Amino acid sequence: MRLASKVAIITGSGSGIGRASALLFAREGAQVVVVDIHKKDAAQTAEDVNQSGGSALALQADVSNQSGCVSIVAKTIEAYRRVDILFNNAGVSSFKPVVETDEAEIDHVLGTNVKSVFFLSQATIPYMKRQGGGSIINNSSITGIVGAPGMAAYATSKGAIITLTRTMALEHAEDGIRVNCICPASIDTPMLRRALGRMEDPDYARSQNIKRHPLGRLGTPEDIAYFALFLASDESSFVTGGTHVVDGGALIARGWRE
Ligand code: NAD
């Protein structure tokens, strides 16, 4: 098993990419801490892991504030005595251009998407250091590389994650802590379905979105989970500071339609 005897914290694992990652990491031998702001969803993922022979702990927490982050790590150490993998995956989107984005929205989006990475990493790193290493994986987005008109706060947050990833990778390379981020394109999760549901014709919007991906489909939560598994495992022991695009070719085909 690729993650035998490792302990993994996965935020936002009550749904979508985080949930798929929790199920996959557990199948590969990790003990998984399932973190979500929605208690029922965290409990459901943990129950599914435990029912299929894995080991998971459900934690309801808000990762957008420092005290929530500190308590997640404290409870992980209390339960499992170590932490080897931190997958900062929880995120929220936002659909406004710069001129319409107010302070409350900026605070909400940057708090959930960026402060969480900052403070969860800060709370986890001392334990990883003591253990001689670890792997931190941050879920960014291709919008963090190329921007996204109409999603100003979201794209800003995802760009910040890339820079934070590089900074932490340099600050902790000598501690054996690897830090990488993943930049997905459109992944078929509840977040994406909510976004498409805002459009006048969601089915048409979905088909247009598919066309932006040369591989001819949207990504699945498992497409990202498998990449995260590689970054979490010792197979990626020479990989740090990376901005890993997992996008069905969307980025190289920007502008491509047929
Ligand atoms: P999702 O909405 O299905 O899952 C996100 C989870 O995060 C939810 O369970 C939600 O309750 C949880 N969450 C939100 N705020 C939280 C908070 N403050 N504290 C704790 N948990 C919180 O979305 P998803 O598509 O699986 O997204 C996962 C990550 O992938 C996000 O960071 C997202 O930005 C990123 N991403 C998604 C796509 C996509 O197309 N779906 C593309 C690029 C990047």
Side-chain angles (χ1 to χ4, degrees), residues 15 24 40 51 55 83 103 124-125 152 162 178 182 201 210:
S15 173
L24 179 62
K40 241 178 89 190
Q51 293 235 326
S55 166
V83 53
E103 191 173 3
T124 303
I125 283 166
I162 294 171
R178 298 182 297 103
I182 303 177
D201 183 346
I210 288 171

Side-chain angles (χ1 to χ4, degrees), residues 101-195:
T101 304
D102 63 21
E103 191 173 3
E105 182 136 8
I106 288 270
D107 286 347
H108 176 58
V109 176
L110 295 189
T112 308
N113 297 3
V114 183
K115 263 171 71 179
S116 59
V117 177
F118 209 101
F119 287 119
L120 266 168
S121 303
Q122 189 180 87
T124 303
I125 283 166
Y127 294 101
M128 289 184 167
K129 232 169 138 170
R130 226 169 289 158
Q131 292 162 201
S135 174
I136 298 177
I137 305 154
N138 302 321
N139 212 347
S140 175
S141 158
I142 58 168
T143 66
I145 300 173
V146 291
M151 297 181 73
Y154 182 76
T156 301
S157 73
K158 294 303 182 179
I161 289 172
I162 294 171
T163 317
L164 183 52
T165 297
R166 292 175 181 170
T167 301
M168 291 198 294
L170 290 171
E171 287 180 348
H172 295 287
E174 66 185 22
D175 301 318
I177 300 171
R178 298 182 297 103
V179 190
N180 287 282
C181 68
I182 303 177
C183 295
S186 295
I187 309 299
D188 199 358
T189 67
M191 178 187 276
L192 183 77
R193 278 174 238 141
R194 283 192 300 273

